[in-house]
Amino acid sequence: MAARDYYEILGVRRDATKDEIKKAYRRLARELHPDVNPDPTTQERFKEVTQAYEVLSDENKRRMFDMGHDPFAPSGGGGGAGGFGAAGFPFDDIMNAFFGGGQPGGGRGPRDRVRRGRSIKVRIELDLAETAFGVTKDVTFPTAVLCATCQGEGTAKGTHRRTCDMCQGRGEVSQVTRSFLGQVMTTRPCPQCAGQGSVITDPCADCAGEGRVREKVTRKVQIPAGVEDGTQIQLAGEGEVGPNGGPRGDIFLEIVQRPHPIFERRGDDLHCTITVPMTAAALGASFTFETLDGTEEIDLRPGTNSGHVITLGGRGTRHLDGSGRGDLMIQVDVETPGRLDEEQENLLRKFAELRGEDHPPGKFSPGHGGLFSRLRDAFGAR
Ligand SMILES: [Zn+2]
Ligand SMILES: [Zn+2]
């Protein structure tokens, strides 16, 4: 048997497919690569992992290893693969396969200095009627706008950006280090120009070279009918201008609905309660009532019970998709008179007598509306 188990080193099963082996190596190489993690024990492990991949990714070498020969063993069981090092080991191929040829010369060039601006979140408080029917509002918020003086260039009038002398405009600088791999060239964004390849020598006085300035902006916004608390409206491309005149981010308007003194909103329906005296519930009555659409007359039929709901169809908020409106629901709460004076008490006793209710038996029924049935309903049982 070979001294080292390459399957174990890569953390794959003996029957792993080529693809699984490649994935396992890619994952380990990312975390152990000397550019990421230069510490010596990690480098040793990286070497080990790469050897394991070299063997298991090659059909012949893998078969040999499966038969008990280690292609990398010092005794050289495996036809001239040689030791790990400069000679014979196709390290560059592997590196290129995984790190996109990020070796000397393959520079990416200067970075784009124009970047997209940030998106802004703006909260706007609205009354119920405004969310129900829609409204046009002036919204003021801080943002970044294009510098009018330099038109986003960031340079003072009559001057231009100068090619960075540290990187000669390439935007990146390279450094050669020695490691177990031999010489390794690493490439990083140029620190002097932040990878942009050019620098501003005379910055614009108004934006200090940023190409944009901070400003408070007021904008008219059309809020559609039917929005509710938490609804977000995206105004694409109306957020901050990016550095150096980059494209604008977005504005996200978040609706905050102020509570209404009477109506509670559930979806697009509105709910409220009307409390009426027992006599009105028994005899019937009419009330004037302020809806979102104005004053309306509400008729209470004679003999209305507590808990009865009067529905005014189409008096809720508009649906956001424009398909109509929700309803307005008024729940009736009948108030039983408390303290009675002598005359009232006598009248009520007389009334009870006339109704044959002077010795009321009370009516018991199986749990309707009681605690148990409410619990049952809440849990969805029948
Ligand atoms: Zn400027
Ligand atoms: Zn530079």
Side-chain angles (χ1 to χ4, degrees):
M1 231 356 238
R4 288 167 296 182
D5 186 345
Y6 291 133
Y7 292 99
E8 205 178 290
I9 290 169
L10 280 189
V12 294
R13 290 195 323 264
R14 303 217 139 244
D15 59 354
T17 63
K18 274 193 146 170
D19 214 44
E20 286 171 322
I21 287 166
K22 194 169 173 176
K23 268 191 195 139
Y25 175 66
R26 191 193 289 264
R27 187 172 44 75
L28 288 166
R30 282 249 162 79
E31 128 196 356
L32 301 170
H33 192 272
D35 271 359
V36 180
N37 206 335
D39 119 73
T41 46
T42 311
Q43 288 200 23
E44 198 50 44
R45 177 128 167 73
F46 180 61
K47 178 177 149 184
E48 209 174 56
V49 160
T50 305
Q51 274 189 358
Y53 177 69
E54 165 64 4
V55 173
L56 298 184
S57 62
D58 182 306
E59 247 166 48
N60 288 328
K61 286 182 189 156
R62 183 175 178 181
R63 200 177 315 119
M64 248 165 53
F65 176 70
D66 285 343
M67 292 189 305
H69 300 288
D70 186 350
F72 284 114
S75 56
F84 189 88
F89 191 71
F91 214 92
D92 280 349
D93 290 354
I94 296 181
M95 299 293 276
N96 286 344
F98 287 107
F99 300 100
Q103 295 298 311
R108 293 168 300 269
R111 294 179 170 192
D112 204 351
R113 54 191 170 83
V114 172
R115 270 173 293 135
R116 185 177 153 85
R118 280 189 314 173
S119 294
I120 318 170
K121 187 163 179 170
V122 183
R123 291 189 162 188
I124 173 169
E125 272 194 28
L126 298 176
D127 289 330
L128 177 61
E130 292 173 327
T131 61
F133 301 131
V135 65
T136 302
K137 281 262 165 182
D138 281 336
V139 186
T140 302
F141 50 89
T143 186
V145 299
L146 195 72
C147 174
T149 313
C150 65
Q151 288 300 313
E153 279 302 308
T155 47
K157 222 182 172 68
T159 70
H160 296 283
R161 296 181 73 95
R162 181 172 56 75
T163 302
C164 173
D165 51 19
M166 193 172 201
C167 63
Q168 273 88 44
R170 284 185 299 120
E172 47 189 29
V173 286
S174 303
Q175 190 185 11
V176 176
T177 49
R178 293 196 63 83
S179 78
F180 72 93
L181 298 169
Q183 291 195 329
V184 172
M185 179 120 101
T186 47
T187 304
R188 301 182 202 292
C190 170
Q192 180 167 294
C193 61
Q196 295 174 356
S198 62
V199 289
I200 294 174
T201 43
D202 300 292
C204 164
D206 289 338
C207 65
E210 219 202 332
R212 56 179 188 169
V213 288
R214 304 238 128 235
E215 225 172 62
K216 261 200 163 153
V217 167
T218 300
R219 187 197 184 284
K220 264 197 191 338
V221 182
Q222 184 114 32
I223 315 273
V227 295
E228 59 187 350
D229 200 59
T231 302
Q232 296 208 7
I233 299 172
Q234 181 180 9
L235 305 173
E238 301 200 28
E240 289 188 357
V241 165
N244 301 300
R248 300 173 69 172
D250 301 334
I251 294 175
F252 289 92
L253 265 191
E254 187 184 304
I255 307 296
V256 178
Q257 190 188 290
R258 292 191 199 101
H260 188 272
I262 306 288
F263 298 128
E264 183 197 330
R265 182 170 171 180
R266 293 181 211 157
D268 291 333
D269 295 334
L270 301 177
H271 292 256
C272 70
T273 302
I274 181 172
T275 304
V276 297
M278 183 186 72
T279 44
L283 299 172
S286 64
F287 300 90
T288 47
F289 178 63
E290 202 62 43
T291 69
L292 292 181
D293 298 82
T295 308
E296 298 196 23
E297 284 289 302
I298 313 248
D299 282 322
L300 203 63
R301 280 196 318 260
T304 299
N305 280 304
S306 219
H308 174 72
V309 175
I310 301 166
T311 301
L312 303 182
R315 287 285 181 266
T317 66
R318 247 188 253 286
H319 301 313
L320 192 53
D321 64 7
S323 65
R325 288 179 66 176
D327 301 331
L328 170 53
M329 266 89 114
I330 310 166
Q331 183 176 314
V332 178
D333 202 357
V334 175
E335 198 171 44
T336 309
R339 222 169 272 164
L340 301 172
D341 64 23
E342 203 182 327
E343 190 183 0
Q344 291 166 350
E345 191 181 327
N346 287 339
L347 274 173
L348 268 185
R349 284 197 189 286
K350 181 75 183 159
F351 175 77
E353 208 176 297
L354 286 172
R355 304 253 318 160
E357 291 169 353
D358 42 348
H359 294 291
K363 210 161 80 187
F364 295 93
S365 51
H368 279 298
L371 175 65
F372 283 110
S373 75
R374 280 206 303 274
L375 278 177
R376 221 172 36 209
D377 290 347
F379 288 103
R382 308 230 83 226

